[in-house]
Amino acid sequence: MIIPIINQKGGTGKTTTAINLAKGLSMQKKKVLLLDIDSQGNLTFSLGHKASESITGKVLATRKIEKEDIVVLDKYLHLIPTTTDLVNYEFEFIKQSYPYSLIKDALSTVKEDYDYILIDCPPSGSFLTINALIAGDAVLIPMQMDVLSLQGLEQLLDSVVMVKENYNPELYVLGVLGVMVDGRRQLTNQILERIREEYGLSIFNNFVRNNVRAAEAPSFGKSVIEYAPTSNSAIDYLNVTKEFLAITK
């Protein structure tokens, strides 16, 4: 199953969610591939991998993934890393009149080898984000519970509808995941209710609370599940993983 993890607003815990959901799934002995298509390379850095080139750019340019392109993080968790060089590849793709099936074509060469392929997308409605939606089976939306995040949600849903109508009719939104949540704030409940009523989206019953350990973990090249296994964030992501498995099985 291919799942783009997307929010067009930055700083929403998108990369943190990709890393920790992937780690949680690997702990359940699910074979997971992480694909970093954000030219900032935050996911690659946060996993402690120093890539010398954008492997993501290479596999998209060739539309296939070779064994040597895959970084083995553990027995069940693999990575396609990137660097800021991905921007140069994007310019070349644009010259080719926006080939929208690059990610779909590349992942088709390894899709059968994995239970889940999680795509960490850029915080924008970019060419590569649209590519990820075309390749995806379902979209996971990490979201902070604030008013500005609702505006970003509307923009993202417009992109999902466009891709569904023109390229990928089977695409659907798996759910909205509340991240960096302060359950004491009344605003959190108000926004959750608005998402349900106005957009008709599924919302994960589990959410990820605010916790400084999640912000520290990337400096050590680890998921928060590994770095601080007893922290609120680690416990929350493990609970999210269990719910995710129940939804997607």
Side-chain angles (χ1 to χ4, degrees):
M1 189 173 193
I2 299 174
I3 300 182
I5 298 177
I6 302 179
N7 193 309
Q8 291 180 240
K9 181 176 180 290
T12 58
K14 174 180 56 63
T15 298
T16 301
T17 295
I19 291 170
N20 287 283
L21 177 58
K23 184 60 185 177
L25 290 169
S26 74
M27 290 169 65
Q28 296 296 320
K29 298 184 178 180
K30 299 297 182 182
K31 195 79 177 288
V32 183
L33 176 66
L34 278 166
L35 175 64
D36 188 352
I37 65 166
D38 185 346
S39 60
Q40 297 176 85
N42 288 339
L43 182 139
T44 300
F45 171 82
S46 297
L47 287 167
H49 184 73
K50 296 180 180 179
S52 59
E53 62 173 318
S54 175
I55 302 301
T56 294
K58 172 182 172 291
V59 303
L60 297 186
T62 59
R63 303 197 187 199
K64 60 182 178 180
I65 299 174
E66 306 284 0
K67 186 175 180 180
E68 60 268 21
D69 298 324
I70 298 170
V71 177
V72 177
L73 300 173
D74 64 41
K75 182 179 178 180
Y76 295 99
L77 182 56
H78 296 170
L79 166 70
I80 302 291
T82 197
T83 66
T84 54
D85 288 343
L86 182 58
V87 171
N88 298 325
Y89 283 95
E90 287 186 75
F91 285 138
E92 291 303 313
F93 297 147
I94 290 169
K95 291 178 185 178
Q96 298 169 29
S97 302
Y98 299 98
Y100 282 123
S101 65
L102 295 180
I103 294 177
K104 182 177 181 179
D105 292 346
L107 292 181
S108 69
T109 62
V110 296
K111 185 177 180 179
E112 299 304 316
D113 298 332
Y114 295 95
D115 296 301
Y116 296 100
I117 297 175
L118 306 183
I119 306 175
D120 185 34
C121 298
S124 66
S126 70
F127 158 70
L128 287 181
T129 297
I130 300 302
N131 242 273
L133 290 172
I134 290 171
D137 295 306
V139 182
L140 175 59
I141 307 173
M143 182 174 159
Q144 288 178 265
M145 297 297 108
D146 59 43
V147 175
L148 291 178
S149 293
L150 280 175
Q151 186 176 29
L153 177 64
E154 290 180 4
Q155 295 168 350
L156 172 55
L157 293 178
D158 286 343
S159 297
V160 171
V161 169
M162 183 277 291
V163 168
K164 187 177 178 67
E165 290 179 347
N166 294 281
Y167 300 100
N168 184 1
E170 303 302 318
L171 183 68
Y172 67 98
V173 176
L174 183 70
V176 173
L177 173 65
V179 294
M180 293 179 266
V181 170
D182 183 348
R184 298 168 298 178
R185 296 175 63 198
Q186 182 61 29
L187 181 61
T188 295
N189 294 326
Q190 291 173 350
I191 290 175
L192 287 173
E193 191 61 31
R194 185 171 171 185
I195 292 170
R196 288 191 186 96
E197 290 183 355
E198 293 191 20
Y199 304 104
L201 297 176
S202 297
I203 298 171
F204 277 73
N205 293 320
N206 291 282
F207 55 82
V208 182
R209 291 166 286 180
N210 268 323
N211 188 271
V212 69
R213 297 298 188 191
E216 294 172 352
S219 299
F220 296 87
K222 296 180 178 181
S223 67
V224 72
I225 292 172
E226 297 167 287
Y227 171 67
T230 61
S231 67
N232 286 345
S233 291
I235 292 167
D236 291 344
Y237 273 117
L238 289 175
N239 287 330
V240 168
T241 300
K242 291 175 184 176
E243 185 175 355
F244 176 91
L245 283 168
I247 293 170
T248 59
K249 67 179 180 181

